[in-house]
Amino acid sequence: VTSDDLATSSSAAAEPRWLTDDERAGWMAAAALLIKLPGALDAQLQAEHGLTFFEYMVMAVLSEQPDRTLQMSDIAAATSSSLSRLSHVVKRLEARGLVRRERIPGAGRRTNAVLTDAGLAQVVAAAPGHVARVRDLLVDAVPADDLAALRRISEAVVERIDPGRPC
Amino acid sequence: VTSDDLATSSSAAAEPRWLTDDERAGWMAAAALLIKLPGALDAQLQAEHGLTFFEYMVMAVLSEQPDRTLQMSDIAAATSSSLSRLSHVVKRLEARGLVRRERIPGAGRRTNAVLTDAGLAQVVAAAPGHVARVRDLLVDAVPADDLAALRRISEAVVERIDPGRPC
DNA sequence: CAAGATTGATGGCTCAATCTTC
DNA sequence: GAAGATTGAGCCATCAATCTTG
């Protein structure tokens, strides 16, 4: 649909600000990125290690903790996911013996997820290939200042989606 | 796999090039964007018009054609999707009367998708809210040069995922 | 057989409802 | 009642297999 098509068909509502050509080109390119990059990352991890990109992220976050332990809601925040999604994923990981859940004793409704030895081994095995893929597709594919710009952009957009979320 | 050099032949696998702190920060921010932005776009279109972002894209592409018609594989290319995904989506859209499929007469195995009047009305109704959302979350949230950088980045990454794909 | 397209099975994600503990 | 977390239903995407036509 072009601006002209819509302009002629709506007379009552205020005319929205359509995108300029440059804005549109930037947005279309970004949309292609949003559609393709997650699939490309998933494909590598799935083929070589039977992991989803998101499963990998969860285990990677746990592996960075001194005791390989983190509360569910903190993992959700660290991986930018909903608690519901995380719960489903951790359940699957637990069924595979990669993660273990435990109610925090004496402190109520909270739950910790703990990376098992098998889980750690899995992350350690998967990390090099995953990092190589991230380098190949993104980090080494763009100049350093563009990567810095991507960081600024991403932080600005995420902030607009979830205003006032902790980093 | 990637740009690992083969300096030594006697020891175990070469240590991969891990990400520097800046690279890691850029990548983590980008990952958050990949996880959150699609959901935010879907949420708006779903709540206000009962459409997926991808369904909207398909109909928007058709609405830009002079005869509202495009071959399936061309739609797939324009929306950066697989033919399989597209086929499922078009089937759903056809069941809702928004799109119609027709075998190209006399020219074989190809299929055209045509946007119906109801489909066009649907796109026209959804476009202003969608564009407003894209502006709010991305276009108006970052400076113009950052948007230009995002375009460069996206095109570079997509090219690495699908080398030599037509634009 | 190859290209264009479709289909079915499988598995993941979202939404809303629920459970538990404070 | 509210926060943390889980669950089930339903929808959507992916993968591999299939169909059709040139």
Side-chain angles (χ1 to χ4, degrees), chain B residues 62-143:
Chain B
L62 285 177
S63 76
E64 287 161 3
Q65 302 303 315
D67 48 0
R68 302 185 203 162
T69 299
L70 208 55
Q71 195 178 323
M72 290 294 285
S73 34
D74 293 333
I75 305 177
T79 57
S80 306
S81 86
S82 70
L83 205 39
S84 170
R85 178 181 187 182
L86 178 67
S87 184
H88 283 295
V89 167
V90 167
K91 184 182 205 172
R92 291 192 313 257
L93 292 176
E94 189 169 36
R96 290 193 253 161
L98 302 174
V99 156
R100 171 170 32 92
R101 274 182 292 192
E102 43 193 35
R103 267 323 199 338
I104 298 183
R109 60 219 149 167
R110 281 168 278 180
T111 305
N112 274 342
V114 188
L115 190 65
T116 64
D117 291 344
L120 181 62
Q122 178 75 276
V123 187
V124 168
H130 173 65
V131 171
R133 186 76 164 170
V134 171
R135 272 208 177 282
D136 182 37
L137 296 183
L138 175 65
V139 175
D140 288 348
V142 306

Side-chain angles (χ1 to χ4, degrees), chain A residues 1 6 17-18 23-25 29 35-36 64 79-80 132 135-137 140-141 146 152-154 160 162, chain B residues 2 17-18 23-24 29 35-36 63-64 79-80 124 135-136 140-141 146 152-154 157 160 162:
Chain A
V1 183
L6 294 158
R17 287 175 55 218
W18 301 111
E23 289 168 342
R24 192 185 145 77
I35 293 180
K36 295 206 144 181
E64 287 161 3
T79 57
S80 306
R135 272 207 177 282
D136 182 36
L137 295 183
D140 288 348
D146 277 358
R152 286 196 305 275
I153 294 166
S154 300
R160 290 206 60 82
D162 275 348
Chain B
T2 30
R17 288 173 55 220
W18 301 111
E23 289 169 342
R24 190 184 146 76
I35 293 180
K36 295 208 142 184
S63 76
E64 287 161 3
T79 57
S80 306
V124 168
R135 272 208 177 282
D136 182 37
D140 288 348
D146 277 358
R152 286 196 305 275
I153 295 165
S154 299
V157 172
R160 292 208 56 84
D162 274 346

Side-chain angles (χ1 to χ4, degrees), chain A residues 69-151:
Chain A
T69 299
L70 207 56
Q71 193 177 323
M72 290 294 285
S73 34
D74 294 333
I75 304 177
T79 57
S80 306
S81 86
S82 70
L83 205 40
S84 169
R85 177 180 187 182
L86 178 67
S87 185
H88 283 294
V89 168
V90 167
K91 185 181 204 172
R92 290 192 315 255
L93 292 175
E94 189 169 36
R96 288 193 255 162
L98 302 174
V99 154
R100 170 169 34 90
R101 275 183 291 193
E102 43 192 35
R103 267 326 202 331
I104 300 183
R109 61 220 148 163
R110 279 167 281 182
T111 305
N112 274 342
V114 188
L115 191 65
T116 65
D117 290 345
L120 182 62
Q122 178 74 277
V123 186
V124 168
H130 173 65
V131 171
R133 186 77 164 167
V134 171
R135 272 207 177 282
D136 182 36
L137 295 183
L138 175 67
V139 175
D140 288 348
V142 306
D145 2 349
D146 277 358
L147 192 61
L150 180 57
R151 179 180 176 183

